[in-house]
Amino acid sequence: MNMAFLDINITGRLETFSLDFTAKSAARSIALFGPSGAGKTSIAHMIAGLLTPASGHIRLSSVSLFDHALGINLPPRHRHIGYVFQDGRLFPHLTVESNLLYGRKWRNSASPSIDMATVLNLLDLSPLLARHPASLSGGERQRVAIGRALLSAPRLLLLDEPLSALDETRREDIIAYLQRLREAELVPMITISHRREEAGLLADEVILVKGGQCRGQLDTHAFARLGQPQDE
């Protein structure tokens, strides 16, 4: 059996329910899928170190990011996770090129470097380099945010509902780019989504989340055969 890439067993108190989430996966591309309010983003924040679980552990490969019993709780900057938020969060005063290069400042020296040319090619960013975020479409801003995260050479690319602010056409465009990243296998990916199609297209394994719990783990073939999920 392959060693688990993601090994997570955490508890915590959220606003409306208690989180008690356990999952292990050896897949390099994972989707956390479930209805809005299921606890997906809280789990993502705990992986990234933006929230602290009450107990348990979070491991990526052999690295412990959090282990309550051992007193381990790495600060976010030492977790080396490329977190892409819903709105991109680019620096408005910087050009696209400068936004991308900012990712280099936080490069994880323990991971193989990802060169600028590769990122520009995979995400078709070369025509945008001299522009500022205010002149970009929502889809272009997300491509830049993903490129900036990749240039930090993260041990994980964590995409939190990256398509939710986009219209249907731009959503389809970004899905195609994310599929290219997945196929290139530059870095493991976890995508947070409440959209069934996105989860099925962007992951090798889908972890079902509801009420702060893991309700099952399915490869994408089994996920495609699953009936319409609850409260989608």
Side-chain angles (χ1 to χ4, degrees):
M1 182 178 178
N2 294 335
M3 183 180 75
F5 166 69
L6 175 69
D7 179 356
I8 181 169
N9 184 340
I10 51 176
T11 67
R13 180 65 192 171
L14 305 182
E15 288 186 7
T16 56
F17 55 80
S18 294
L19 183 144
D20 187 355
F21 184 83
T22 299
K24 284 187 179 183
S25 176
R28 285 180 57 86
S29 184
I30 300 166
L32 298 185
F33 170 77
S36 298
K40 304 184 302 299
T41 292
S42 294
I43 293 167
H45 284 179
M46 290 177 183
I47 293 172
L50 304 179
L51 286 177
T52 301
S55 65
H57 65 259
I58 302 170
R59 302 185 186 112
L60 295 180
S61 297
S62 59
V63 179
S64 288
L65 306 181
F66 172 80
D67 193 313
H68 183 264
L70 297 178
I72 297 171
N73 187 18
L74 297 185
R77 67 183 181 278
H78 293 157
R79 298 193 182 202
H80 299 299
I81 290 173
Y83 201 131
V84 179
F85 296 87
Q86 296 178 19
D87 56 3
R89 302 195 183 184
L90 302 179
F91 297 110
H93 62 291
L94 299 180
T95 64
V96 165
E97 183 175 20
S98 296
N99 266 284
L100 290 170
L101 291 174
Y102 186 83
R104 288 263 182 89
K105 295 183 178 182
W106 303 99
R107 194 179 78 79
N108 176 18
S109 59
S111 297
S113 179
I114 300 173
D115 64 85
M116 175 74 91
T118 297
V119 170
L120 295 180
N121 181 57
L122 279 171
L123 297 170
D124 289 336
L125 293 175
S126 293
L128 308 179
L129 290 177
R131 293 168 59 182
H132 283 77
S135 72
L136 303 178
S137 69
E140 289 169 339
R141 286 193 293 271
Q142 282 300 75
R143 281 157 51 199
V144 176
I146 293 166
R148 182 178 63 185
L150 287 172
L151 286 169
S152 71
R155 59 169 54 100
L156 170 70
L157 187 63
L158 185 55
L159 304 154
D160 187 2
E161 298 278 5
L163 313 178
S164 64
L166 306 180
D167 61 34
E168 194 63 33
T169 299
R170 292 192 175 98
R171 186 178 296 123
E172 291 176 358
D173 290 342
I174 297 298
I175 285 175
Y177 284 112
L178 291 175
Q179 287 178 316
R180 288 168 69 175
L181 288 179
R182 174 186 169 195
E183 291 165 3
E185 295 188 342
L186 292 178
V187 62
M189 298 167 54
I190 295 179
T191 303
I192 310 301
S193 181
H194 68 279
R195 291 179 177 270
R196 181 181 181 80
E197 180 186 16
E198 290 171 12
L201 290 173
L202 298 178
D204 299 317
E205 181 171 286
V206 179
I207 299 176
L208 308 178
V209 184
K210 188 177 182 184
Q213 297 182 340
C214 173
R215 298 297 180 92
Q217 295 181 226
L218 303 169
D219 64 33
T220 49
H221 296 294
F223 181 67
R225 294 193 299 267
L226 192 67
Q228 285 296 323
Q230 68 286 349
D231 302 325
E232 189 176 8

